Amino acid sequence: MLDDEPGRKRRRLWVHPIVAQRPQKGQFHKLYTDLRLDANKFKSYCRMSIETFDYLLICLHPGLNFMDTCMRRSISAEQRLLVTLRFLATGNSFASLHFEFLLGISTISGIVCHTCKVIWQRLREAVMPTPTAADWLRIADGFYQSAQFPNCIGALDGKHIRVKKPPHSGSRYFNYKQYFSVVLMALADSDYKFVIVDIGAYGSTSDSRIFSVSRMGERLRQNQLALPEPSRLPGSAGPPAPFVIVADEGFAVSPHLMRPFPRRDLDVRKRIFNYQLTRARRYVECAFGILSSKWRVFQSPIQMKPDNATLVIQACVMLHNFTRIHDASTDADLGLNMTSSVSLDLSRPGRPGTAGLAVRELFADYFISPEGALSWQMDAIRGSH
């Protein structure tokens, strides 16, 4: 028998007495029904409304439903989802969740990883589909209405997600901020939703390098993102301008990617361009802020292997978009100031390209023209001088 094998630890109990009390004292059986009677408490616990939770459960149920066996009853899809959402919402350790839900630690670990994988697989096409030309035009209209930056199809940046140091990894995950991380590279729209993401790069890799080798960067270089044809900027009689992504100094300028002018020797025209670009770029920073505020697993290092940490990040990105669509979260709910300025990071400059520089000059000219100027932009750049 297996228990008689040399060196194998003999199992003392099939089910620990504490775990055996799950139907009477486990948080799912004891608290879940009461939570559904109070919409505010439920949203605080699960980070989404009751209606959104129920719809999410319907979407995920085929991937979370398991058959009972002659040995034991399976854990329901509802409980699996609740355990996972509680982990993502709090960042509590599996040991802590073990005492809350009265499930085995290894069982909780398996539930979280599997549920995160199902969330990514089943929600991706619904909440983050591959953008079409019509989608890019809608995103560009959103940026023009909210940030007065025309022909902008997204704000790009990378966020370092803290992880525990993987064994035998050397300095690959050690970033310039002096901690271990994997990188979430994301393109966000003006509604703080993620449009395209790349997840899992080493923390030691620069944003520019991550973007250049990502599928997103490769498709942008090869004109495979189905971008709309260049069009004149609103009210302008100048040449058509391409649709562009806005980013910080960590990226290299190109015909479809705009970064600020270097801070040295800035004249008024360049400072206005930088101000306008920063107003548009703040949306990805705010999206990251909403993500980490709602899903507090990001508030401390993720105590999982990098592959499993990537599953957690993927699930949170999907849930972020899902709740933005179905719950219409307000800024006040998240305690964020969306109008705050975003600081510029000069630590990792990229090498500009000639065509990209010409496009940047075109936008800079537009922002000081009567058609593109903002009534308060001169006061804004004086105040930041």
Side-chain angles (χ1 to χ4, degrees):
M1 295 177 64
L2 290 177
D3 288 340
D4 296 328
E5 291 180 6
R8 184 179 179 90
K9 185 177 179 180
R10 184 179 179 86
R11 188 166 187 168
R12 297 176 58 191
L13 298 168
W14 177 250
V15 178
H16 194 281
I18 293 178
V19 176
Q21 299 179 66
R22 181 170 70 246
Q24 294 78 37
K25 297 184 178 180
Q27 203 161 102
F28 176 77
H29 300 277
K30 191 174 180 180
L31 184 62
Y32 176 65
T33 303
D34 292 336
L35 281 174
R36 291 185 67 91
L37 300 177
D38 189 315
N40 291 330
K41 292 293 185 183
F42 188 95
K43 188 169 186 177
S44 177
Y45 190 88
C46 294
R47 314 303 285 170
M48 62 184 65
S49 67
I50 297 173
E51 295 78 14
T52 300
F53 176 88
D54 290 341
Y55 182 58
L56 177 62
L57 182 62
I58 292 172
C59 295
L60 303 181
H61 192 273
L64 299 181
N65 192 38
F66 291 84
M67 294 180 61
D68 296 336
T69 69
C70 60
M71 302 295 292
R72 63 176 64 183
R73 296 184 62 184
S74 65
I75 299 169
S76 68
E78 204 168 12
Q79 186 171 0
R80 288 173 176 271
L81 180 57
L82 193 72
V83 169
T84 303
L85 291 179
R86 194 60 185 159
F87 169 72
L88 300 178
T90 64
N92 288 349
S93 67
F94 294 153
S96 176
L97 295 172
H98 157 68
F99 290 108
E100 293 176 19
F101 289 92
L102 301 186
L103 291 163
I105 294 176
S106 60
T107 302
I108 290 176
S109 175
I111 286 173
V112 168
C113 291
H114 175 75
T115 306
C116 286
K117 185 176 181 179
V118 172
I119 289 172
W120 171 258
Q121 292 174 340
R122 292 193 170 267
L123 294 187
R124 188 174 182 182
E125 288 302 316
V127 303
M128 201 173 66
T130 302
T132 64
D135 293 326
W136 292 126
L137 288 172
R138 175 184 53 79
I139 293 171
D141 183 65
F143 272 101
Y144 185 62
Q145 296 299 324
S146 58
Q148 293 75 53
F149 199 110
N151 288 27
C152 177
I153 57 170
L156 177 70
D157 203 2
K159 177 177 176 61
H160 287 271
I161 307 296
R162 291 177 180 267
V163 297
K164 73 173 183 178
K165 182 184 183 300
H168 315 298
S169 62
S171 61
R172 285 177 296 177
Y173 291 91
F174 196 68
N175 64 37
Y176 72 101
K177 297 181 179 181
Q178 307 299 304
Y179 59 82
F180 296 94
S181 67
V182 295
V183 179
L184 163 61
M185 181 67 60
L187 183 71
D189 65 16
S190 61
D191 191 36
Y192 313 109
K193 294 197 296 288
F194 297 116
V195 181
I196 304 175
V197 295
D198 182 87
I199 303 169
Y202 296 139
S204 61
T205 311
S206 68
D207 285 349
S208 181
R209 174 63 179 167
I210 294 170
F211 179 71
S212 67
V213 300
S214 69
R215 187 165 179 263
M216 172 175 29
E218 183 69 22
R219 293 181 66 195
L220 182 66
R221 284 194 302 274
Q222 297 181 3
N223 294 318
Q224 294 178 349
L225 284 181
L227 299 184
E229 291 296 320
S231 64
R232 286 191 174 90
L233 301 178
S236 171
F243 285 81
V244 298
I245 293 168
V246 294
D248 62 15
E249 290 91 339
F251 298 86
V253 69
S254 73
H256 292 291
L257 196 153
M258 294 291 98
R259 53 169 272 178
F261 286 102
R263 291 189 179 183
R264 61 184 181 276
D265 301 325
L266 286 177
D267 55 23
V268 171
R269 173 175 163 276
K270 293 179 179 179
R271 290 177 63 201
I272 288 175
F273 173 84
N274 286 2
Y275 170 71
Q276 293 272 28
L277 183 140
T278 302
R279 291 183 70 246
R281 190 178 63 82
R282 72 182 183 203
Y283 285 91
V284 68
E285 298 286 354
C286 292
F288 287 148
I290 295 170
L291 178 75
S292 59
S293 177
K294 181 183 284 288
W295 307 109
R296 301 198 172 217
V297 68
F298 298 127
Q299 299 292 327
S300 59
I302 300 176
Q303 301 296 314
M304 304 172 79
K305 295 178 180 179
D307 288 347
N308 291 337
T310 296
L311 289 176
V312 167
I313 300 167
Q314 289 175 334
C316 288
V317 167
M318 293 298 100
L319 292 172
H320 170 88
N321 279 13
F322 189 83
T323 54
R324 293 295 300 172
I325 294 169
H326 296 285
D327 273 346
S329 302
T330 62
D331 301 341
D333 292 335
L334 300 163
L336 294 175
N337 178 12
M338 297 304 177
T339 60
S340 61
S341 61
V342 179
S343 60
L344 300 178
D345 181 6
L346 295 173
S347 58
R348 293 160 294 167
R351 179 176 297 174
T354 304
L357 293 176
V359 174
R360 186 167 66 180
E361 295 293 333
L362 177 62
F363 276 92
D365 290 338
Y366 175 75
F367 288 136
I368 61 170
S369 70
E371 295 79 18
L374 301 176
S375 60
W376 65 86
Q377 63 187 23
M378 291 303 297
D379 293 335
I381 66 169
R382 290 192 191 103
S384 63
H385 184 59

